[in-house]
Amino acid sequence: MPARTGEQFIDGLRQQSREVWIGGQRVPDVVTHPAFRNVVRSVAALYDLQHDPARKDEMTYVSPTSGDRVGLSFLTPRTRDDLVRVRRMMKVWVDYSGGMMGRSPDYLNRALMAFAAAADYCGENDPRFAQNLRRYYERVRELDLCLTHTLVNPQANRAAGPAGQADPHLAASVVRETDRGIVIRGARMLATLPVADEIMVFPSTVLRGKDEDRPYAFAFAIPCATPGLRFLCRETFDPNGTTFDYPLSSRFDEMDAVVVFDDVLVPWDRVFLLGDVERCNTVFSATGAVAHMAHQVVTKNVAKSEFILGVASLMVDAIAVEQFQHVQGKIAEIVYYLETMKAFARASEADAAIDRWGMMTPAWPPLDAARNMFTWMYPRMVEILQLLGASGLMGRPTRSDLDSEIRPLIDTYYQAARMNAEDRIRLFRLAWDVALSAFGSRQVLYERFFFGDPVRMQMATFGSYDRQPYMDRVRDFLKG
Ligand SMILES: Cc1cc2nc3c(=O)[nH]c(=O)nc-3n(C[C@H](O)[C@H](O)[C@H](O)COP(=O)(O)OP(=O)(O)OC[C@H]3O[C@@H](n4cnc5c(N)ncnc54)[C@H](O)[C@@H]3O)c2cc1C
């Protein structure tokens, strides 16, 4: 089947009866429920972009198996040009939301592509797992499915591993194996975009390699509508208002959910790793998946930095504060963040190399720097919006105010040096949705944590970056 349209994505959701809970109630239909319908439409709009006749070659490629045109984010890169091509496609998707939808489907498509290309890694002890991964990738690519994922065990007692929790089934674990598959009980946090078609449940917590950790060591993927699978959502940040009042939150609240497995049967053909602690601890790096995911992330970071630079520059221009030195400095700071992200993206492609699986994999050090530095760059960019907007971020009437009899007052008192009142309010409401709303605060938390705990990511850089040549050089220098 060729790349899907938005309508086909929505039809797919309608056909699945998943168990999603919000506000103490089970959601009968995510397509129409107020907490989900707007983000469903936004994801659908991404799929529609694949069918823009002017973008066909930019967004899709010919499937090596079916001959259909499938989404380019599934492409297995063999050359540096392939990586650039994939990045350009991903940029179209992330630009759609100004980088505010971290879970456009390309993010996990890149991961699955890499897992499949390196499937032999998962199949070294059991060749069935390699075959399962390849088949699953092909299925997701050909049906153009949208994936969510969950990696982290519940945040109960971080002083102990999953087996040391008060309840051994708090963290999702294998409770038994049957001739049909494995049975999973327990929970994982946190899956963003529970309106996806399927969920990948992959390892991330580093397991210690003792026998007690084996039940927690697995990788699999199942439909979100699998019996016993429950998504417990936070409250929505989508106020279901107008896009004038809530330009981002009314469109891009992807939702986050804790995932509960109530004795969920995972068929054998969907199991990719089982009981293999060592492989679970290394699968992201050994397959190159982490680099391909980070390549999408740095593309998103570029889009998000460009968006914030645009918002900040329009604000500064509207209220005519551009002549102040510190204002110029703050705008320049955003420029530096943007250029840093662009440079990391280009460096990762320029230094890309064919890996042991035959994939052209972007260089890891610049992507590692990008993923870590954005955890503080993004909160700082949000702070800059607050510092530039000041009280203007609170003087922000709604569409209803503008349509009321107080409109003449608004036109007078909310005008800006270079913008009429309505345009200025529209802009400052956007800045508020980036920098202050519940949606905006969640974006900050997302950027700090979604790729992992920044503290442990830095420890990983410390442990893996080859600093020896520089130590040797300084030692030689000291010897005189
Ligand atoms: C908005 C949002 C969306 C997300 N979406 C997804 C998703 O779609 N899929 C997914 O799988 N995950 C998702 N995540 C989860 C993300 O992967 C985790 O937040 C991240 O890995 C950190 O884990 P944690 O939240 O459990 O923090 P914890 O591990 O509980 O850390 C809490 C605090 O304790 C410290 N700490 C804990 N253990 C250690 C240690 N061993 N050494 C040093 N310090 C430690 C941390 O530094 C931190 O300060 C999302 C997170 C957020 C905030």
Side-chain angles (χ1 to χ4, degrees), residues 103 149-153 155 158 189-192 256 442 445-446 449-450 452-453 455-456 459:
R103 293 313 159 83
H149 76 323
T150 183
L151 310 174
V152 180
N153 291 324
Q155 192 187 50
R158 287 287 186 251
M189 63 189 300
L190 190 68
T192 298
D256 309 290
R442 185 252 176 210
L445 191 74
Y446 180 86
F449 281 107
F450 83 94
D453 172 18
V455 171
R456 278 167 278 174
M459 287 163 67

Side-chain angles (χ1 to χ4, degrees), residues 103 107-108 148-159 188-193 200 202 204-205 208 234 237 254-257 259 441-457 459:
R103 293 313 159 83
Y107 177 63
L108 290 171
T148 179
H149 76 323
T150 183
L151 310 174
V152 180
N153 291 324
Q155 192 187 50
N157 177 1
R158 287 287 186 251
R188 281 282 183 93
M189 63 189 300
L190 190 68
T192 298
L193 202 71
M200 293 205 306
F202 268 65
S204 106
T205 312
R208 289 178 193 135
R234 61 163 164 80
F237 298 150
E254 295 176 299
M255 183 54 76
D256 309 290
V259 186
S441 304
R442 185 252 176 210
Q443 290 286 328
V444 171
L445 191 74
Y446 180 86
E447 292 301 349
R448 287 190 203 276
F449 281 107
F450 83 94
F451 214 101
D453 172 18
V455 171
R456 278 167 278 174
M457 291 197 304
M459 287 163 67

Side-chain angles (χ1 to χ4, degrees), residues 36-75:
F36 304 97
R37 64 185 170 205
N38 290 326
V39 75
V40 165
R41 278 193 210 122
S42 293
V43 177
L46 299 181
Y47 283 110
D48 278 339
L49 280 170
Q50 303 185 123
H51 290 270
D52 176 348
R55 293 189 186 277
K56 193 175 104 182
D57 290 336
E58 199 180 357
M59 304 301 291
T60 59
Y61 73 111
V62 177
S63 158
T65 51
S66 64
D68 286 333
R69 288 204 79 89
V70 293
L72 197 75
S73 58
F74 292 106
L75 182 75

Side-chain angles (χ1 to χ4, degrees), residues 195-220:
V195 295
D197 298 300
E198 304 224 343
I199 182 165
M200 293 205 306
V201 183
F202 268 65
S204 106
T205 312
V206 177
L207 297 164
R208 289 178 193 135
K210 297 181 190 153
D211 270 350
E212 61 178 26
D213 278 344
R214 292 198 189 287
Y216 306 90
F218 47 72
F220 61 83

